[in-house]
Structures are given as C-alpha cells and as structure tokens.
Short mmCIF file of all heavy atoms in Angstrom, two decimals:
data_model
loop_
_atom_site.label_atom_id
_atom_site.label_comp_id
_atom_site.label_asym_id
_atom_site.label_seq_id
_atom_site.Cartn_x
_atom_site.Cartn_y
_atom_site.Cartn_z
N ALA A 1 91.93 90.32 75.47
CA ALA A 1 90.65 90.63 74.82
C ALA A 1 89.55 89.85 75.51
O ALA A 1 89.68 88.69 75.89
CB ALA A 1 90.71 90.22 73.34
N GLY A 2 88.44 90.52 75.74
CA GLY A 2 87.32 89.98 76.45
C GLY A 2 87.36 90.25 77.94
O GLY A 2 86.37 90.01 78.64
N GLY A 3 88.46 90.77 78.44
CA GLY A 3 88.60 91.06 79.85
C GLY A 3 88.08 92.42 80.22
O GLY A 3 87.49 93.12 79.41
N SER A 4 88.30 92.77 81.47
CA SER A 4 87.77 93.99 82.02
C SER A 4 88.81 94.76 82.80
O SER A 4 89.73 94.21 83.34
CB SER A 4 86.59 93.71 82.98
OG SER A 4 85.51 93.09 82.31
N LEU A 5 88.62 96.08 82.81
CA LEU A 5 89.41 96.97 83.67
C LEU A 5 88.49 98.05 84.19
O LEU A 5 87.47 98.38 83.55
CB LEU A 5 90.53 97.64 82.87
CG LEU A 5 91.74 96.82 82.49
CD1 LEU A 5 92.64 97.67 81.58
CD2 LEU A 5 92.52 96.41 83.73
N ARG A 6 88.81 98.59 85.35
CA ARG A 6 88.10 99.76 85.84
C ARG A 6 89.08 100.89 86.05
O ARG A 6 90.02 100.77 86.84
CB ARG A 6 87.35 99.46 87.15
CG ARG A 6 86.44 100.64 87.52
CD ARG A 6 85.58 100.36 88.71
NE ARG A 6 86.28 100.59 89.98
CZ ARG A 6 85.68 100.90 91.12
NH1 ARG A 6 84.35 101.06 91.13
NH2 ARG A 6 86.39 101.13 92.21
N LEU A 7 88.90 101.95 85.35
CA LEU A 7 89.71 103.13 85.48
C LEU A 7 89.11 104.07 86.53
O LEU A 7 87.86 104.18 86.62
CB LEU A 7 89.83 103.90 84.15
CG LEU A 7 90.33 103.09 82.96
CD1 LEU A 7 90.47 104.01 81.73
CD2 LEU A 7 91.64 102.37 83.26
N SER A 8 89.95 104.75 87.24
CA SER A 8 89.55 105.72 88.20
C SER A 8 90.21 107.07 87.92
O SER A 8 91.32 107.10 87.40
CB SER A 8 89.90 105.31 89.65
OG SER A 8 89.24 104.11 90.02
N CYS A 9 89.51 108.13 88.23
CA CYS A 9 90.06 109.47 88.09
C CYS A 9 89.76 110.20 89.38
O CYS A 9 88.61 110.51 89.67
CB CYS A 9 89.43 110.17 86.86
SG CYS A 9 89.94 111.89 86.69
N ALA A 10 90.81 110.47 90.13
CA ALA A 10 90.66 111.21 91.38
C ALA A 10 90.91 112.67 91.19
O ALA A 10 91.96 113.04 90.60
CB ALA A 10 91.63 110.61 92.42
N ALA A 11 90.03 113.50 91.70
CA ALA A 11 90.16 114.93 91.57
C ALA A 11 90.53 115.59 92.87
O ALA A 11 90.09 115.13 93.94
CB ALA A 11 88.81 115.52 91.04
N SER A 12 91.28 116.64 92.80
CA SER A 12 91.60 117.47 93.95
C SER A 12 91.59 118.93 93.49
O SER A 12 91.61 119.22 92.31
CB SER A 12 92.93 117.10 94.54
OG SER A 12 93.99 117.27 93.60
N GLY A 13 91.53 119.81 94.46
CA GLY A 13 91.43 121.24 94.16
C GLY A 13 90.03 121.71 94.37
O GLY A 13 89.40 121.41 95.38
N ARG A 14 89.47 122.42 93.39
CA ARG A 14 88.14 122.96 93.50
C ARG A 14 87.07 121.90 93.18
O ARG A 14 86.28 122.03 92.22
CB ARG A 14 87.99 124.17 92.58
CG ARG A 14 88.86 125.34 92.94
CD ARG A 14 88.41 126.60 92.24
NE ARG A 14 87.07 126.99 92.68
CZ ARG A 14 86.35 127.99 92.14
NH1 ARG A 14 86.82 128.65 91.13
NH2 ARG A 14 85.15 128.25 92.60
N THR A 15 87.03 120.87 94.00
CA THR A 15 86.13 119.77 93.72
C THR A 15 84.70 120.06 94.19
O THR A 15 83.83 119.21 93.99
CB THR A 15 86.64 118.52 94.44
OG1 THR A 15 86.84 118.79 95.82
CG2 THR A 15 87.97 118.06 93.82
N PHE A 16 84.45 121.22 94.79
CA PHE A 16 83.11 121.59 95.13
C PHE A 16 82.32 122.11 93.96
O PHE A 16 81.10 122.28 94.04
CB PHE A 16 83.12 122.63 96.27
CG PHE A 16 83.95 123.87 95.98
CD1 PHE A 16 83.42 124.93 95.26
CD2 PHE A 16 85.24 123.94 96.42
CE1 PHE A 16 84.15 126.06 94.98
CE2 PHE A 16 86.05 125.04 96.14
CZ PHE A 16 85.47 126.10 95.41
N SER A 17 82.98 122.38 92.88
CA SER A 17 82.32 122.90 91.69
C SER A 17 81.56 121.77 90.95
O SER A 17 81.91 120.60 91.08
CB SER A 17 83.31 123.54 90.72
OG SER A 17 83.95 124.67 91.36
N ARG A 18 80.57 122.16 90.20
CA ARG A 18 79.72 121.22 89.49
C ARG A 18 80.32 120.88 88.13
O ARG A 18 79.84 121.32 87.11
CB ARG A 18 78.31 121.74 89.36
CG ARG A 18 77.56 121.85 90.68
CD ARG A 18 76.07 122.11 90.40
NE ARG A 18 75.32 122.06 91.61
CZ ARG A 18 74.03 121.75 91.68
NH1 ARG A 18 73.38 121.42 90.57
NH2 ARG A 18 73.38 121.72 92.82
N TYR A 19 81.36 120.09 88.15
CA TYR A 19 82.01 119.68 86.91
C TYR A 19 81.37 118.51 86.28
O TYR A 19 81.13 117.47 86.96
CB TYR A 19 83.49 119.38 87.19
CG TYR A 19 84.34 120.58 87.56
CD1 TYR A 19 84.71 120.84 88.84
CD2 TYR A 19 84.82 121.43 86.52
CE1 TYR A 19 85.46 121.94 89.15
CE2 TYR A 19 85.61 122.52 86.82
CZ TYR A 19 85.94 122.77 88.17
OH TYR A 19 86.71 123.87 88.43
N GLY A 20 81.12 118.58 85.00
CA GLY A 20 80.88 117.38 84.26
C GLY A 20 82.21 116.72 84.01
O GLY A 20 83.27 117.38 84.03
N MET A 21 82.20 115.41 83.79
CA MET A 21 83.44 114.68 83.59
C MET A 21 83.36 113.83 82.35
O MET A 21 82.32 113.31 82.03
CB MET A 21 83.69 113.78 84.82
CG MET A 21 83.86 114.48 86.13
SD MET A 21 85.38 115.51 86.16
CE MET A 21 86.64 114.25 85.98
N GLY A 22 84.47 113.73 81.68
CA GLY A 22 84.55 112.93 80.49
C GLY A 22 85.79 112.02 80.47
O GLY A 22 86.74 112.26 81.17
N TRP A 23 85.67 110.97 79.71
CA TRP A 23 86.82 110.10 79.41
C TRP A 23 87.06 110.19 77.91
O TRP A 23 86.16 110.09 77.09
CB TRP A 23 86.55 108.65 79.79
CG TRP A 23 86.59 108.38 81.27
CD1 TRP A 23 85.56 108.35 82.13
CD2 TRP A 23 87.77 108.11 82.03
NE1 TRP A 23 85.96 108.05 83.39
CE2 TRP A 23 87.32 107.91 83.36
CE3 TRP A 23 89.11 108.00 81.74
CZ2 TRP A 23 88.23 107.60 84.40
CZ3 TRP A 23 90.01 107.74 82.77
CH2 TRP A 23 89.57 107.53 84.06
N PHE A 24 88.34 110.33 77.55
CA PHE A 24 88.82 110.31 76.20
C PHE A 24 89.93 109.33 76.09
O PHE A 24 90.54 108.95 77.08
CB PHE A 24 89.29 111.72 75.76
CG PHE A 24 88.21 112.72 75.64
CD1 PHE A 24 87.61 113.31 76.77
CD2 PHE A 24 87.70 113.10 74.39
CE1 PHE A 24 86.60 114.23 76.66
CE2 PHE A 24 86.71 114.04 74.26
CZ PHE A 24 86.15 114.58 75.39
N ARG A 25 90.25 108.92 74.87
CA ARG A 25 91.39 108.06 74.65
C ARG A 25 92.11 108.45 73.39
O ARG A 25 91.54 109.07 72.48
CB ARG A 25 90.93 106.58 74.55
CG ARG A 25 90.06 106.27 73.35
CD ARG A 25 89.52 104.84 73.47
NE ARG A 25 88.76 104.46 72.29
CZ ARG A 25 88.06 103.33 72.21
NH1 ARG A 25 88.04 102.47 73.25
NH2 ARG A 25 87.37 103.06 71.11
N GLN A 26 93.38 108.09 73.33
CA GLN A 26 94.23 108.46 72.21
C GLN A 26 95.22 107.37 71.96
O GLN A 26 96.03 107.00 72.83
CB GLN A 26 94.96 109.77 72.44
CG GLN A 26 95.67 110.30 71.27
CD GLN A 26 96.09 111.77 71.43
OE1 GLN A 26 96.27 112.24 72.55
NE2 GLN A 26 96.30 112.44 70.31
N ALA A 27 95.15 106.79 70.80
CA ALA A 27 96.11 105.81 70.35
C ALA A 27 97.25 106.48 69.58
O ALA A 27 97.02 107.58 69.06
CB ALA A 27 95.40 104.75 69.46
N PRO A 28 98.40 105.87 69.49
CA PRO A 28 99.50 106.49 68.76
C PRO A 28 99.15 106.88 67.35
O PRO A 28 98.57 106.07 66.58
CB PRO A 28 100.58 105.40 68.79
CG PRO A 28 100.29 104.59 70.01
CD PRO A 28 98.79 104.57 70.10
N GLY A 29 99.47 108.09 66.98
CA GLY A 29 99.21 108.57 65.65
C GLY A 29 97.75 108.93 65.33
O GLY A 29 97.45 109.21 64.18
N LYS A 30 96.88 108.89 66.35
CA LYS A 30 95.48 109.11 66.12
C LYS A 30 95.02 110.32 66.95
O LYS A 30 95.66 110.74 67.92
CB LYS A 30 94.63 107.89 66.47
CG LYS A 30 94.99 106.67 65.63
CD LYS A 30 94.12 105.48 66.03
CE LYS A 30 92.68 105.65 65.65
NZ LYS A 30 91.87 104.41 65.95
N GLU A 31 93.87 110.88 66.59
CA GLU A 31 93.28 111.97 67.32
C GLU A 31 92.72 111.52 68.67
O GLU A 31 92.35 110.33 68.80
CB GLU A 31 92.21 112.67 66.50
CG GLU A 31 92.70 113.37 65.26
CD GLU A 31 93.38 114.71 65.64
OE1 GLU A 31 92.68 115.63 66.05
OE2 GLU A 31 94.62 114.77 65.52
N ARG A 32 92.66 112.44 69.60
CA ARG A 32 91.97 112.13 70.85
C ARG A 32 90.49 111.90 70.59
O ARG A 32 89.85 112.69 69.92
CB ARG A 32 92.21 113.26 71.84
CG ARG A 32 91.75 112.96 73.25
CD ARG A 32 92.37 113.90 74.24
NE ARG A 32 93.83 113.75 74.28
CZ ARG A 32 94.59 114.29 75.20
NH1 ARG A 32 94.09 115.02 76.18
NH2 ARG A 32 95.92 114.15 75.16
N GLU A 33 90.01 110.84 71.15
CA GLU A 33 88.63 110.34 70.82
C GLU A 33 87.77 110.34 72.06
O GLU A 33 88.18 109.85 73.11
CB GLU A 33 88.75 108.92 70.23
CG GLU A 33 87.43 108.23 69.97
CD GLU A 33 87.61 106.77 69.60
OE1 GLU A 33 88.68 106.21 69.90
OE2 GLU A 33 86.66 106.20 69.01
N PHE A 34 86.59 110.83 71.95
CA PHE A 34 85.63 110.79 73.03
C PHE A 34 85.24 109.33 73.36
O PHE A 34 85.01 108.56 72.44
CB PHE A 34 84.35 111.59 72.61
CG PHE A 34 83.21 111.35 73.57
CD1 PHE A 34 83.20 111.96 74.83
CD2 PHE A 34 82.14 110.57 73.21
CE1 PHE A 34 82.14 111.77 75.71
CE2 PHE A 34 81.07 110.36 74.08
CZ PHE A 34 81.06 110.98 75.32
N VAL A 35 85.12 109.04 74.64
CA VAL A 35 84.71 107.73 75.10
C VAL A 35 83.40 107.79 75.87
O VAL A 35 82.43 107.05 75.49
CB VAL A 35 85.78 107.09 75.97
CG1 VAL A 35 85.32 105.74 76.49
CG2 VAL A 35 87.10 106.91 75.19
N ALA A 36 83.35 108.59 76.86
CA ALA A 36 82.16 108.67 77.73
C ALA A 36 82.17 109.96 78.51
O ALA A 36 83.20 110.57 78.73
CB ALA A 36 82.07 107.49 78.70
N ALA A 37 80.99 110.39 78.95
CA ALA A 37 80.86 111.60 79.78
C ALA A 37 79.68 111.45 80.74
O ALA A 37 78.74 110.70 80.47
CB ALA A 37 80.68 112.85 78.89
N ILE A 38 79.73 112.20 81.82
CA ILE A 38 78.72 112.18 82.84
C ILE A 38 78.56 113.52 83.49
O ILE A 38 79.54 114.21 83.72
CB ILE A 38 79.03 111.10 83.89
CG1 ILE A 38 77.90 110.92 84.91
CG2 ILE A 38 80.36 111.42 84.63
CD1 ILE A 38 78.08 109.71 85.82
N ARG A 39 77.31 113.93 83.71
CA ARG A 39 77.05 115.21 84.34
C ARG A 39 77.30 115.13 85.83
O ARG A 39 77.39 114.02 86.42
CB ARG A 39 75.61 115.67 84.08
CG ARG A 39 75.34 115.96 82.62
CD ARG A 39 73.97 116.57 82.41
NE ARG A 39 73.67 116.72 80.98
CZ ARG A 39 74.00 117.75 80.28
NH1 ARG A 39 74.68 118.76 80.81
NH2 ARG A 39 73.68 117.82 78.98
N TRP A 40 77.44 116.26 86.48
CA TRP A 40 77.72 116.31 87.92
C TRP A 40 76.77 115.52 88.75
O TRP A 40 77.11 114.83 89.66
CB TRP A 40 77.75 117.80 88.36
CG TRP A 40 78.03 117.95 89.83
CD1 TRP A 40 79.25 118.03 90.43
CD2 TRP A 40 77.07 118.06 90.88
NE1 TRP A 40 79.11 118.21 91.79
CE2 TRP A 40 77.78 118.21 92.08
CE3 TRP A 40 75.66 118.05 90.94
CZ2 TRP A 40 77.14 118.37 93.32
CZ3 TRP A 40 75.03 118.19 92.14
CH2 TRP A 40 75.77 118.34 93.34
N SER A 41 75.46 115.61 88.40
CA SER A 41 74.43 114.92 89.17
C SER A 41 74.44 113.39 89.01
O SER A 41 73.83 112.66 89.77
CB SER A 41 73.05 115.43 88.74
OG SER A 41 72.75 115.07 87.41
N GLY A 42 75.12 112.96 87.95
CA GLY A 42 75.06 111.53 87.58
C GLY A 42 73.95 111.21 86.61
O GLY A 42 73.96 110.18 85.95
#
C-alpha cells in the first residue's frame, strides 16, 4: 500500500485505426469496473 505500478498494454493487428483505449478492473466476485480511458489523440 502506498506504492506504485505502471501497467502497459501492447497492441498488435489493426493498430492504424483510431481506437480509444480503456482500463477496467475486476476483483473476485465483483463486476468489471471502469478505471480510466483515453481517446486516440490523447
């Protein structure tokens, strides 16, 4: 607790498309929860 991590998500395939990206999380027994999102442009 109090520490830091950096998650990465590497994409392959049709990466030329203008995809928005999101991060979600899911704990055991719980619904998938929105965390953060970013548009293609940043």
Side-chain angles (χ1 to χ4, degrees):
S4 298
L5 287 172
R6 190 174 82 153
L7 306 184
S8 298
C9 176
S12 61
R14 295 195 64 188
T15 54
F16 54 85
S17 298
R18 292 191 173 209
Y19 290 101
M21 298 294 297
W23 286 96
F24 291 77
R25 66 189 183 187
Q26 188 167 24
K30 299 179 69 176
E31 291 285 289
R32 190 162 296 190
E33 176 189 19
F34 169 75
V35 176
I38 186 169
R39 296 187 185 274
W40 179 87
S41 67

